[in-house]
């Protein structure tokens, strides 16, 4: 059994590490510091922590003002509030003027669990992907969240960094160097490629194991940066394996699945099946029950792979390497 | 004790009413304002789009800030110690751009490109492009919060600058304004000096018909701000109020309600909601310019 750790804790721990090195770093929260774990930062750096109350719109515009004045603000709240309650502020105060604000959110996706659909942001990646200037990081486990936070602090410009509420499996395979814009090839394969982002990496790797046992040579890519997309890695996989499956804890509309599909459609049109929340709202339940119910398990990925492998494909315009 | 008395905090600044300002100085500002009003008309007429009425009602406060009260240097638009100005009623870019051009942030001729493709003079303020624009605004309510962030950074860094922000009155129907109001009070942003351009008109008509705002001073005081109202076209009162606000006797953010006239300076535009976002045609433009010849 793997270890389980909170991705949000990776974000919060990194903030404390960074604060020692970057005196301009300040943290904002909106009355969810205990949930986003920025309460740890508050304990250590009370004079650099600002609780805005339940007022996320103000929080994001205040962060913009801080960035305009040379500070490095990390604004924490839930994914739902940052991208939809405060969508205008995210767009007009931060993304449009390309300000150096980092929006670090927790409680993304259905694994938010018991709170139900009102708090389970499955559209946040669609919103943020559509914003010019925005960099989007979706780490897969605690350690990757920690590294992603460090990388976000080191780059200029707005970053949306997505973590979840639950404890998620620790995946040592993804702990190599974190470079924004670069995906990771976790497993080589020739017949099909599985592409994960965020916490779906563990289910995706499990699916690859099952497929390999059936004799399907399965490549696995992990994309902790959703924007800018690692097009080189995806194009290679499309050309060399000819079949793609995307896996994300987000709506199949607007997230990883659509990013990969629209990219390959232009340069190397191969079939893509999208695993994700299928244009539905979530509901209350345990994270584990919800992953089962919404079909975000290894077995669902394997089923999609079977479907794809059975597909009678027309001859391609490109030559697959033999 | 009435509720209102309970809410009204003591320690609001007293604004000296004695005429301490040099009449020559006032005259100089009035002449500057006249030039700015003429630029506003020319820009909006030239672009055949833009907001005249609210730019004209805000001209006197913007003139007082850029040509008397603010510490700024057009040669160093990113000086970290400069006073900042945030136009929270972002649609009134004509008055801001005219003031910036006349201050020397960019050539006066740039004003001709207002709202045109490729221009740095966007319809709403864009800090990434326009020299001297301290914050991007546009959708209402953003600017006051952004100003709070700039003021907070000033306090964190023990910087001496002031942050001036101009809000619309209709804008205060946005919930975000009151989120910012609470924030500025909590963090004792005494370096934040806000103004409301209280011209009582918004796109769809009189503010009190569209969504009542009165009593505005009481609202701001109830939120923990120092607030008072003045004639927004009277330079000695404006300057005295800014001076009082800068003294910052109580560490409270300040909200000065400027009673103004929408379309101020152009008689046929004064008090008309129809001049919120409608550009003048050429005949109207010429009549307006004829009215704007003497300070």
């Amino acid at each position: 059994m793997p270890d389980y750790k909170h991705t949000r804790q990776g974000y919060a721990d990194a903030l404390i590490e960074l604060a020692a090195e970057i005196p301009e770093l300040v943290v904002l929260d909106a009355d969810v510091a205990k949930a986003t774990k920025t309460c740890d930062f508050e304990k250590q750096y009370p004079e650099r922590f600002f609780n805005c109350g339940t007022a996320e719109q103000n929080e994001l515009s205040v962060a913009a003002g801080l960035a305009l004045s040379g500070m490095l603000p990390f604004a924490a709240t839930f994914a739902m509030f940052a991208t939809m309650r405060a969508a205008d502020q995210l767009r007009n105060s931060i993304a449009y003027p390309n300000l150096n604000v980092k929006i670090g959110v927790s409680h993304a996706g259905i694994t938010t669990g018991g709170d139900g659909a009102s708090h389970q942001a499955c559209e946040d990646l669609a919103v943020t992907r559509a914003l010019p200037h925005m960099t989007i990081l979706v780490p897969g486990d605690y350690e990757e969240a920690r590294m992603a936070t460090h990388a976000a602090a080191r780059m200029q410009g707005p970053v949306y960094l997505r973590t979840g509420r639950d404890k998620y499996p620790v995946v040592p395979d993804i702990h190599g160097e974190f470079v924004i814009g670069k995906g990771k090839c976790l497993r080589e394969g020739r017949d099909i490629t599985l592409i994960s982002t965020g916490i779906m990496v563990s289910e995706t790797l499990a699916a690859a194991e099952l497929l390999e046992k059936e004799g399907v040579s399965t490549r696995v890519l992990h994309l902790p940066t959703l924007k800018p997309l690692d097009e080189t890695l995806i194009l290679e996989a499309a050309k060399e394996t000819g079949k793609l499956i995307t896996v994300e804890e987000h709506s199949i509309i607007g997230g990883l699945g659509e990013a990969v599909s629209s990219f390959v459609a232009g340069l190397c049109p191969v079939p893509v099946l999208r695993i994700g929340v299928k244009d539905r709202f979530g509901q209350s339940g345990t994270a584990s029950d919800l992953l089962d119910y919404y079909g975000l398990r290894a077995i669902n990925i394997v089923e999609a792979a079977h479907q794809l492998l059975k597909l009678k494909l027309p001859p391609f315009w490109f030559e697959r390497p033999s | 004790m009435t509720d209102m008395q309970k809410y009204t905090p003591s320690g609001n600044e007293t604004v000296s009413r004695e005429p301490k300002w040099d009449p020559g100085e006032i005259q100089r500002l009035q002449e500057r304002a006249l030039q700015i009003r003429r630029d506003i008309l020319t820009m909006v007429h030239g672009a055949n789009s833009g907001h005249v009425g609210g730019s004209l009602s805000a001209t006197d406060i913007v003139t007082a800030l850029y040509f008397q009260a603010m510490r700024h240097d057009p040669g160093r638009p990113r000086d970290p110690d400069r006073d900042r100005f945030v136009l929270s009623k972002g649609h009134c870019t004509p008055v801001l751009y005219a003031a910036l051009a006349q201050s020397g942030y960019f050539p006066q001729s740039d004003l001709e490109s207002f709202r045109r493709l490729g221009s740095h003079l966007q319809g709403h303020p864009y800090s990434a492009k326009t020299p001297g624009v301290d914050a991007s605004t546009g959708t209402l309510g953003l600017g006051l919060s952004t100003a709070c962030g700039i003021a907070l950074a000033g306090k964190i860094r023990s910087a001496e600058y002031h942050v001036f922000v101009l809000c619309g009155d209709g804008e205060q129907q946005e919930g975000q304004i009151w989120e910012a109001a609470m924030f500025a009070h909590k963090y004792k942003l005494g370096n934040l000096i806000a103004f409301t351009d209280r011209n009582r008109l918004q796109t769809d008509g009189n503010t009190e018909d569209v969504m009542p705002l009165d009593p505005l001073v009481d609202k701001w005081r109830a939120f923990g701000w120092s607030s008072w109202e003045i004639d927004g076209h009277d330079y000695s009162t404006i300057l005295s109020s800014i001076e009082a606000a800068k003294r910052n006797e109580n560490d409270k953010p300040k909200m000065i309600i400027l009673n103004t006239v929408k379309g101020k300076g152009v008689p046929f535009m004064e008090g008309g909601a129809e001049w919120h976002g409608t550009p003048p045609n050429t005949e109207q433009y010429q009549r307006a310019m004829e009215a704007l010849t003497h300070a």
Side-chain angles (χ1 to χ4, degrees), chain B residues 127-158:
Chain B
S127 60
K129 265 195 176 174
T130 312
V133 168
D134 290 323
S136 299
T137 55
T139 52
L140 294 173
L142 304 183
L144 186 59
S145 297
T146 306
C148 284
I150 302 173
L152 180 63
K155 287 195 74 163
I156 295 169
R157 312 184 114 183
S158 306

Side-chain angles (χ1 to χ4, degrees), chain A residues 25-41:
Chain A
L25 186 147
V26 291
V27 174
L28 306 173
D29 205 301
D31 194 38
V32 286
K34 291 191 185 78
T36 62
K37 300 292 184 190
T38 62
C39 57
D40 297 348
F41 182 93

Side-chain angles (χ1 to χ4, degrees), chain A residues 93-173:
Chain A
S93 288
I94 296 172
Y96 172 44
N98 202 13
L99 296 181
N100 199 24
V101 175
K102 317 301 169 185
I103 304 101
V105 302
S106 70
H107 291 57
I110 52 166
T111 56
T112 297
D115 283 344
S118 63
H119 284 55
Q120 295 165 345
C122 292
E123 311 83 4
D124 58 320
L125 298 177
V127 172
T128 47
R129 267 188 67 230
L131 295 176
H133 293 157
M134 192 62 81
T135 294
I136 304 171
L137 305 181
V138 192
D141 70 355
Y142 165 89
E143 179 59 21
E144 199 174 45
R146 203 183 67 78
M147 292 190 295
T149 310
H150 276 267
R154 303 277 175 221
M155 72 158 270
Q156 273 292 321
V159 176
Y160 180 74
L161 197 159
R162 184 192 211 232
T163 71
R165 189 199 71 87
D166 209 22
K167 285 185 171 173
Y168 306 98
V170 170
V171 184
D173 291 4

Side-chain angles (χ1 to χ4, degrees), chain B residues 29-50:
Chain B
L29 291 172
Q30 284 166 338
E31 279 163 15
R32 180 64 74 181
L34 183 73
Q35 287 310 313
I36 290 178
R37 288 194 162 94
R38 291 178 65 87
D39 284 350
I40 291 168
L41 265 298
T42 304
M43 286 166 75
V44 175
H45 176 250
N48 197 29
S49 116

Side-chain angles (χ1 to χ4, degrees), chain A residues 194 203 206-211 214 245 275 297-309:
Chain A
L194 312 180
E203 293 292 333
E209 288 284 339
L210 293 172
L211 287 167
E214 298 172 5
I245 294 176
I275 302 286
R297 292 297 197 187
I299 184 67
N300 307 108
I301 303 168
V302 169
E303 279 165 12
H306 289 162
Q307 199 186 333
L308 209 44
L309 291 163

Side-chain angles (χ1 to χ4, degrees), chain B residues 148 179-190 192 225 251 253:
Chain B
C148 284
E179 295 184 1
M182 287 186 275
F183 183 90
H185 170 248
K186 176 185 176 187
Y187 288 107
K188 298 186 170 58
L189 302 180
L192 178 66
W225 289 48
D251 254 356

